[in-house]
Amino acid sequence: MPEQIQNIQSENTVNSPLRASGLSAAPGPIGIFDSGYGGLTILEKIRTELPAYDYIYLGDNARTPYGTRSFDVVYKYTLECVTRMFEMGCQLVVLACNTASAKALRTIQQHDLPVLDPHRRVLGVIRPTVEAVGTMTLTNHIGLLATTGTVQSDSYPLEIQKINNDIIVTSEACPMWVPLIENNEHLSTGADYFVWKNVKNLMDADPMIDTIMLGCTHYPLLEDKIKSYLPEGIRVVSQGDIVAKSLADYLVRHPEMETLCTKNASCKYFTTESVEKFSSSASIFLNEEIRAEHIAVG
Ligand code: DGL
C-alpha cells in the first residue's frame, strides 16, 4: 500500500470500528475515478467548488479506453477500481467517466454496495448532467456526443425521459476522439476531420438540436473545435461544473456522508499505468505538475 494512503488510513482508523465487510468506517478522501485522464476535467471543477476536501484520483490508464468495451468488461474493471478506492479509505466515490456511469454504476449500486459496504456511496455523472441540460433546451431537441459504449447503453435518452418525456435525444458516437486526445493530437489538423464529421452527422440527424451534451469527460478539450463546426446559437455543455455543483448539493443533503469525508485540501493521483506516462499526459488535462503513484488493480 502506498505510504500516503497508509498515513491517511492510520490517522483515521484510530478508534474507528471495522464494518462487517472488513472495510473501515473511518472518514476518508473522496474518490474520483476515470478510465484514464478524462476525469481530471471533472476533478478540477470539483476541487474548485469544494476545495476543503481530500481527494484521491484513480485513472485506470492501463486498461483505457473503456468506451469500446463490452458491458461485462466495463463493469468488472469499474468494480475492481471502486473496491480498490474503498480499500484506500474512500467512503464516497464519483465515477467521473460516462462509460463507467452508463455501464457499471447501477449494478454496483444495486448489487455490489449492499455486499461490500451498504454505508458507502458511488455516484455517477449522467443523472446530474441530464437534470441540468433538460432545463436548457428551448426546442426540446438535445444532441449527445459520447463514446460508442455510452451511446449504445442508451443511458442518456433513458434518463432524460424520466425527467421530461417530450425531449428528443439524438446521439452520435465519436470513437476516434478519446484516442486523439490521449495521444495529444486533438488540436492537430488531423483531428479536424473526425470532429467535423461527427458534429455534421449529429446536426444532419436532427437540425432542431439547440443544446449539445459532451457526454464524455475527455471532450471538454475539444470544445472550441466542436463549436467551430456548429451554427451560431447552439449551446455546448461540458459536465465539469454541473457535476461539481451536484456533488456539493449531495453533500449538503447527506450530512451523514459529508462527515465521512476528510478535509485537509489534499489531492493524490494514482494510475494503473506507468507513473511517468501518467504525469506527462495528465498535464494535457490540468495545467499543473502532477506526480502520480502506481497502483495495482484487479
Ligand atoms: N472518460 C470516458 C467517458 O467519459 C471515456 C474514455 C474511455 O473510452 O475510456 O466516457
Side-chain angles (χ1 to χ4, degrees), residues 133 136-139 141-145 199-200 202-204 206-214 223-224 226-238:
V133 172
M136 292 176 186
T137 176
L138 296 177
T139 61
H141 288 246
I142 289 179
L144 170 70
L145 297 167
V199 169
K200 182 177 182 322
L202 181 70
M203 294 311 295
D204 284 353
D206 183 359
M208 295 273 290
I209 288 169
D210 69 346
T211 308
I212 295 179
M213 297 180 277
L214 301 187
E223 191 167 334
D224 289 343
I226 293 165
K227 283 179 177 162
S228 75
Y229 295 122
L230 284 168
E232 283 284 307
I234 295 185
R235 193 198 296 248
V236 177
V237 185
S238 294

Side-chain angles (χ1 to χ4, degrees), residues 5-297:
I5 296 304
Q6 261 173 344
N7 290 343
I8 289 171
Q9 285 199 327
S10 56
E11 276 166 27
N12 293 327
T13 46
V14 179
N15 298 328
S16 298
L18 287 181
R19 292 187 178 132
S21 59
L23 289 169
S24 168
I30 297 173
I32 309 290
F33 167 72
D34 184 45
S35 59
Y37 303 106
L40 293 170
T41 63
I42 304 277
L43 173 69
E44 186 181 27
K45 302 291 184 181
I46 289 177
R47 288 187 71 198
T48 303
E49 182 75 26
L50 298 163
Y53 293 92
D54 295 315
Y55 297 94
I56 284 178
Y57 183 89
L58 173 55
D60 192 8
N61 303 83
R63 303 188 290 192
T64 201
Y66 281 16
T68 45
R69 296 190 189 275
S70 69
F71 265 87
D72 288 352
V73 170
V74 172
Y75 163 63
K76 177 179 181 292
Y77 288 177
T78 305
L79 179 60
E80 286 171 357
C81 290
V82 167
T83 305
R84 195 75 181 87
M85 296 181 98
F86 284 173
E87 290 164 359
M88 294 159 86
C90 300
Q91 301 286 342
L92 175 64
V93 172
V94 178
L95 302 185
C97 173
N98 289 270
T99 312
S101 298
K103 293 188 159 184
L105 178 64
R106 185 160 304 209
T107 313
I108 290 175
Q109 285 175 334
Q110 293 179 353
H111 296 281
D112 298 299
L113 273 184
V115 179
L116 283 171
D117 185 346
H119 301 279
R120 302 208 185 201
R121 290 292 173 267
V122 181
L123 307 176
V125 290
I126 294 179
R127 183 76 196 202
T129 305
V130 159
E131 281 172 2
V133 172
T135 63
M136 292 176 186
T137 176
L138 296 177
T139 61
N140 274 353
H141 288 246
I142 289 179
L144 170 70
L145 297 167
T147 64
T148 306
T150 298
V151 169
Q152 281 174 350
S153 75
D154 264 343
S155 298
Y156 272 95
L158 290 171
E159 286 296 331
I160 285 264
Q161 269 169 18
K162 287 182 197 162
I163 58 165
N164 185 342
N165 216 6
D166 294 330
I167 295 179
I168 294 164
V169 179
T170 301
S171 306
E172 169 75 4
C174 314
M176 292 300 290
W177 291 13
V178 168
L180 284 167
I181 294 166
E182 296 256 334
N183 288 292
N184 204 9
E185 286 290 336
H186 53 290
L187 299 180
S188 68
T189 48
D192 290 353
Y193 168 74
F194 293 103
V195 177
W196 166 81
K197 183 178 139 191
N198 290 126
V199 169
K200 182 177 182 322
N201 286 349
L202 181 70
M203 294 311 295
D204 284 353
D206 183 359
M208 295 273 290
I209 288 169
D210 69 346
T211 308
I212 295 179
M213 297 180 277
L214 301 187
C216 172
T217 51
H218 284 66
Y219 295 178
L221 276 74
L222 286 170
E223 191 167 334
D224 289 343
K225 199 168 273 204
I226 293 165
K227 283 179 177 162
S228 75
Y229 295 122
L230 284 168
E232 283 284 307
I234 295 185
R235 193 198 296 248
V236 177
V237 185
S238 294
Q239 299 174 295
D241 287 325
I242 294 171
V243 173
K245 288 194 173 12
S246 165
L247 180 61
D249 179 56
Y250 175 88
L251 292 172
V252 170
R253 287 186 291 108
H254 295 274
E256 77 290 352
M257 177 52 72
E258 199 280 335
T259 56
L260 288 174
C261 300
T262 51
K263 297 186 198 70
N264 299 297
S266 72
C267 187
K268 312 228 183 299
Y269 299 88
F270 295 88
T271 176
T272 55
E273 243 288 355
S274 96
V275 169
E276 292 72 25
K277 177 158 176 13
F278 184 91
S279 299
S280 70
S281 297
S283 59
I284 301 169
F285 293 80
L286 293 179
N287 284 327
E288 61 179 273
E289 190 80 357
I290 289 178
R291 288 185 50 219
E293 292 178 42
H294 180 265
I295 194 161
V297 168

